[in-house]
């Protein structure tokens, strides 16, 4: 049950809409289900009553105040049940209306001086409450936090009426579009309202922006109308944005301040993000490599940008399992920017799911835990690198690197859901889980081609070599080996270990490092996760050129076990595709657990 509260100045105008046919004749049988005294005129049921009659009754106290009356004296609250809920009766909707006006302070139970109001039903799944905000004693009601109080009352009524129980909010969510905005978007043939389109455009402009100038430049390049509010000193005090072609009844553009799009999109909040600046010299080698990459004057390749982002996303996922709440909150904000950057530059095969993931995760980036002193510069640098590298192809190294980063981001979203759930952030936890679903779908689309090539290549390796790497996996993951063998990615894991060995790594040590980075219980396919971790840690290609020629010659010892002989690795037809591009990595550069 979702309440939506707004203010206005025309009682008659709103009543005309509530009792009218709607924009497309969607209003059916408009009538009252409750009113302030139970006897308010009802034009929907009494043919001798007009809208003007009802307006005069509701505006009585406003008229008595004359010039002292509040200009925006109309309080409007729509309440809608969730899709799939049963339809409430008129009597039940009447109870809902009386409880909401009581909870919000419009007309508390037993208060003879409460505001005048009516509840109108013109559809099966919702009602509208219209109230005039002048009390019987000619004072104005105390409506502070009216939305929060209405929402809390709706959560209680959901249980009592047997309706779908929605997650409780905490006041940090972005404002939902109004019914009028939704209807207008539908008439214009848009699947989203201008408010939602602009919110996404501003988020994407912020993602990895170096400074305020770049932020406004990106907004303009995205085709958004931007108007900055300039002080006499020349400083920018704020900004508003408008969607081209979105105009009011007078033909003027409809402008939205950043703070009305989302709480964290006001200019002061954006400036706090931008103020962090580039990574400093005090950071470790891994963070400096990201900063150097992002600050490069020449745009880096999309695949390299995604590899760097994978590294940073791994560190952020680990942070979410630690005790520093501020640092975790900062990483969530950075993860939102990273998703926005990927959504802008993803290939067509993953674009839709990534856009949906970014929209869902946007809710997970905001809570009452503020990251005032925490550092997410590495995440922002990774997002900047992805934007600067430009659009990725859905094939080859770009496609494989996209699958690599998405594999990690699925785990990050799951970790975010757990982090929020442990702190009672119900809406943020649900948003993180929803983002994880979209990221999984995007991952499957991105990984389909490179994983298939690796599986085919691994399946045609000489049997002794396959057995050697299988023994390595069994020794490292004895409790998971049977599960891994049953997964489709087993052969891809085998060829990845072999390529790592040929690149100079010790397969057992590299596999142990990949396993120790983080638990594997939340992974949908453990083999897939390990493949991408190993390829990232070992600097192996993210895509292969295809399966090798089959080889029927095997080298075995007296007991049938693999013999690690050079000729076994160079037998005719043995796969060494792409290995010429792998720089040998000596033992000193294998690294420690990250």
């Amino acid at each position: 049950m979702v309440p939506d509260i707004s203010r206005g100045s025309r009682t008659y105008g709103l009543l005309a809409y509530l009792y009218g046919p709607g924009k497309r004749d969607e209003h059916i049988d408009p009538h009252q289900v409750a009113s302030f005294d139970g006897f308010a005129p009802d034009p929907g049921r009494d043919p001798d009553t007009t809208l003007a009659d009802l307006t005069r009754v509701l505006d009585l106290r406003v008229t008595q105040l004359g010039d002292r009356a509040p200009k925006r004296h109309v309080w409007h609250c729509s309440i809608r049940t969730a899709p799939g809920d049963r339809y409430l009766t008129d009597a039940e909707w009447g109870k809902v209306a009386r409880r909401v006006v009581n909870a919000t302070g419009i007309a508390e139970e037993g208060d003879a001086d409460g505001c005048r109001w009516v509840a109108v039903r013109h559809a099966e799944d919702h009602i509208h409450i219209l109230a005039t905000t002048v009390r019987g004693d000619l004072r104005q009601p105390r409506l502070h936090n009216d939305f929060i109080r209405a929402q809390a009352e709706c959560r209680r009524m959901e249980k009592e009426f047997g309706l779908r129980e929605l997650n409780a909010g905490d006041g940090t969510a972005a404002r939902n579009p109004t019914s009028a905005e939704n209807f207008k978007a539908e008439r214009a043939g848009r699947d989203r309202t201008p408010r939602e389109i602009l919110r996404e455009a501003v988020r994407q402009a912020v993602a990895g922006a170096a400074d305020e100038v770049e932020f406004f430049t990106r907004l303009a390049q995205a085709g958004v109308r931007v108007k900055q509010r300039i002080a006499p000193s020349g400083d920018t005090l704020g900004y508003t944005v408008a969607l081209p072609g979105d105009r009011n009844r007078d033909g003027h553009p409809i402008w939205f301040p950043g703070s009305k799009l989302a709480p964290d999109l006001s200019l002061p909040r954006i400036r706090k993000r931008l103020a962090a600046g580039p990574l400093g010299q005090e950071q470790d080698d891994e963070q400096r490599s990201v900063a150097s990459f992002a600050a490069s004057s020449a745009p880096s390749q999309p695949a390299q940008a995604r590899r760097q982002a994978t590294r940073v996303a791994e560190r952020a996922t680990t942070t979410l399992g630690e005790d520093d709440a501020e640092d975790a909150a900062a990483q969530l904000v950075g993860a939102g920017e990273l998703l926005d950057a990927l959504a802008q530059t993803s290939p067509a095969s993953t674009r839709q799911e990534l856009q949906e993931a970014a929209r869902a995760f946007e809710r997970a980036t905001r809570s009452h835990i503020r990251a005032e002193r925490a550092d997410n510069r590495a995440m922002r640098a990774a997002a900047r690198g992805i934007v600067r590298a430009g659009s990725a192809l859905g094939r080859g190294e770009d496609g494989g690197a996209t699958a690599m980063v998405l594999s990690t981001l699925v785990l990050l979203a799951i970790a975010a859901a757990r982090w929020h759930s442990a702190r009672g952030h119900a809406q943020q936890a649900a948003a993180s889980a929803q983002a994880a679903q979209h990221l999984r779908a995007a991952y499957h689309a991105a990984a389909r081609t490179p994983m298939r090539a690796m599986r085919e290549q691994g399946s045609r390796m000489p049997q002794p070599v396959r057995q050697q790497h299988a023994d390595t996996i069994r020794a490292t993951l004895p409790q998971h080996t049977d599960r891994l063998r049953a997964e489709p990615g087993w052969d891809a894991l085998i060829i990845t270990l072999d390529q790592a060995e040929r690149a100079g790594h010790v397969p057992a040590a590299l596999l142990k490092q990949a396993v120790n980075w983080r638990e594997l219980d939340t992974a949908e396919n453990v083999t897939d996760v390990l493949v991408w971790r190993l390829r990232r840690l070992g600097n192996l290609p993210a895509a292969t050129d295809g399966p090798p020629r089959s080889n029927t010659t095997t080298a075995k010892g007296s007991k049938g076990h693999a013999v690690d002989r050079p000729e076994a690795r160079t037998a005719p037809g043995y796969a060494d595709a792409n290995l010429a591009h792998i720089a040998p990595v000596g033992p000193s550069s294998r690294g420690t657990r990250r």
Side-chain angles (χ1 to χ4, degrees):
M1 189 178 290
V2 181
D4 186 12
I5 295 175
S6 58
R7 300 290 184 89
S9 58
R10 298 175 62 245
T11 305
Y12 185 92
L14 181 54
L15 287 175
Y17 169 73
L18 299 182
Y19 280 96
K23 302 297 183 181
R24 295 189 176 181
D25 297 325
E26 69 274 12
H27 294 177
I28 301 172
D29 186 24
H31 61 279
Q32 290 179 26
V33 295
S35 65
F36 67 98
D37 62 357
F39 300 101
D42 185 1
R45 286 289 185 264
D46 185 353
D48 296 327
T49 296
T50 65
L51 292 177
D53 295 332
L54 181 55
T55 301
R56 280 192 294 271
V57 170
L58 292 173
D59 278 349
L60 175 64
R61 293 163 179 172
V62 178
T63 304
Q64 289 174 343
L65 273 183
D67 294 339
R68 295 183 293 118
K71 294 189 181 301
R72 297 176 64 82
H73 64 272
V74 177
W75 184 89
H76 174 214
C77 177
S78 64
I79 307 172
R80 186 181 301 271
T81 54
D85 276 342
R86 68 179 180 86
Y87 293 140
L88 303 183
T89 65
D90 280 357
E92 288 174 319
W93 274 123
K95 291 179 182 179
V96 169
R98 284 187 286 272
R99 289 181 60 167
V100 168
V101 296
N102 172 68
T104 55
I106 286 292
E108 296 180 8
E109 187 175 357
D111 182 4
D113 286 330
C115 298
R116 296 191 166 203
W117 60 273
V118 293
V120 178
R121 182 180 189 180
H122 56 210
E124 298 280 14
D125 64 347
H126 70 277
I127 60 170
H128 294 261
I129 303 173
L130 184 158
T132 50
T133 56
V134 178
R135 292 168 42 84
D137 53 14
L138 301 187
R139 293 186 295 113
Q140 294 184 45
R142 297 172 61 88
L143 298 178
H144 181 64
N145 287 334
D146 54 350
F147 174 75
I148 295 175
R149 287 182 279 168
Q151 191 179 60
E153 189 65 24
C154 285
R155 297 294 84 78
R156 288 187 283 267
M157 289 189 289
E158 286 165 354
K159 295 181 180 179
E160 297 175 23
F161 286 94
L163 304 175
R164 176 183 169 189
E165 296 182 28
L166 302 181
N167 293 316
D170 59 2
T172 62
R175 181 176 176 180
N176 289 324
T178 65
S179 297
E181 288 175 330
N182 283 322
F183 286 133
K184 184 177 180 180
E186 184 180 351
R187 292 195 306 273
R190 299 191 182 103
D191 58 351
R192 292 183 296 151
T193 65
R195 183 191 299 273
E196 293 168 310
I197 295 171
L198 290 169
R199 182 187 303 148
E200 184 170 291
V202 174
R203 281 202 336 262
Q204 292 184 349
V206 173
D211 51 36
E212 199 171 311
V213 173
E214 183 176 355
F215 164 63
F216 285 119
T217 300
R218 285 190 188 177
L219 271 181
Q221 290 173 344
V224 173
R225 301 188 65 175
V226 185
K227 186 165 58 177
Q228 299 181 44
R229 186 159 55 91
I230 308 297
S233 62
D235 297 330
T236 302
L237 300 178
Y239 75 99
T240 55
V241 289
L243 197 65
D246 184 33
R247 298 180 178 274
N248 59 22
R249 67 181 62 189
D250 298 323
H252 300 142
I254 299 177
W255 297 95
F256 292 88
S259 59
K260 297 298 182 182
L261 298 175
D264 57 342
L265 295 183
S266 66
L267 188 57
R269 295 283 293 275
I270 288 175
R271 280 172 171 162
K272 284 186 177 181
R273 282 203 234 178
L274 301 178
L279 294 174
Q281 294 300 315
E282 73 280 2
Q283 304 298 316
D284 61 25
D285 291 339
E286 189 169 68
Q287 289 176 304
R288 279 200 297 271
S289 68
V290 176
S292 174
F293 158 74
S296 173
S297 58
S300 301
Q301 295 298 317
Q304 177 67 7
R306 281 154 173 73
R307 281 180 173 272
Q308 296 285 0
T310 303
R311 186 190 304 269
V312 176
E314 286 174 352
R315 294 171 66 97
T317 305
T318 301
T319 299
L320 291 173
E322 297 172 351
D323 295 331
D324 192 332
E326 280 199 8
D327 196 8
Q331 301 312 311
L332 290 174
V333 173
E337 291 198 31
L338 192 56
L339 280 173
D340 282 324
L342 285 167
Q344 296 178 66
T345 60
S346 61
S349 59
T350 58
R351 185 178 305 130
Q352 181 62 39
E353 292 293 349
L354 272 173
Q355 288 174 343
E356 294 295 339
R359 291 166 191 162
F361 198 80
E362 181 252 356
R363 181 67 187 97
T365 63
R366 289 191 305 274
S367 69
H368 287 299
I369 299 177
R370 294 291 181 86
E372 301 293 350
R373 298 181 300 277
D375 186 357
N376 68 356
R377 287 177 292 173
M379 289 288 277
R380 297 202 72 248
R384 178 172 176 76
I386 286 174
V387 172
R388 286 172 61 86
S391 297
L393 300 175
R395 61 183 185 274
E397 192 69 11
D398 279 8
T402 297
M404 180 183 292
V405 70
L406 291 178
S407 175
T408 301
L409 287 174
V410 170
L411 298 181
L412 190 154
I414 294 171
R418 289 181 169 182
W419 188 85
H420 279 303
S421 182
R423 287 156 181 79
H425 305 162
Q427 288 190 356
Q428 292 90 332
S432 301
Q434 184 181 0
Q437 292 179 356
H438 290 296
L439 286 167
R440 276 198 183 100
Y443 167 75
H444 288 310
R448 187 176 297 116
T449 298
M451 287 297 292
R452 182 174 61 243
M454 283 187 275
R455 288 196 300 266
E456 292 178 1
Q457 196 170 11
S459 68
R460 300 186 185 186
M461 288 174 58
Q463 182 58 33
V465 181
R466 287 172 55 82
Q467 185 60 48
Q468 176 188 332
H469 293 307
D471 291 343
T472 298
I473 296 169
R474 183 174 295 279
T476 307
L477 285 168
Q479 72 278 22
H480 289 290
T481 304
D482 291 340
R483 174 186 172 183
L484 296 182
R485 277 188 176 276
E487 290 187 353
W490 172 260
D491 290 325
L493 180 58
I494 292 292
I495 189 63
T496 297
L497 285 173
D498 193 68
Q499 289 180 349
E501 183 177 38
R502 292 169 64 81
H505 296 282
V506 176
L510 194 66
L511 181 59
K512 188 172 294 185
Q513 184 180 350
V515 169
N516 289 342
W517 171 69
R518 192 174 183 272
E519 52 82 21
L520 297 168
D521 294 336
T522 55
E524 186 180 39
N525 291 298
V526 177
T527 49
D528 284 30
V529 171
L530 290 176
V531 163
W532 298 118
R533 286 185 191 174
L534 289 167
R535 289 185 173 275
R536 204 276 297 166
L537 291 169
N539 196 30
L540 304 177
T544 61
D545 289 337
R549 295 187 299 273
S550 61
N551 177 31
T552 57
T553 303
T554 61
K556 295 183 180 180
S558 60
K559 295 183 180 180
H561 294 298
V563 177
D564 190 16
R565 299 202 309 265
E567 58 267 27
R569 301 306 179 84
T570 57
Y574 180 67
D576 60 356
N578 286 307
L579 296 184
H581 303 290
I582 305 173
V585 181
S588 63
S589 60
R590 289 173 195 154
T592 58
R593 175 183 173 186
R594 290 181 174 86

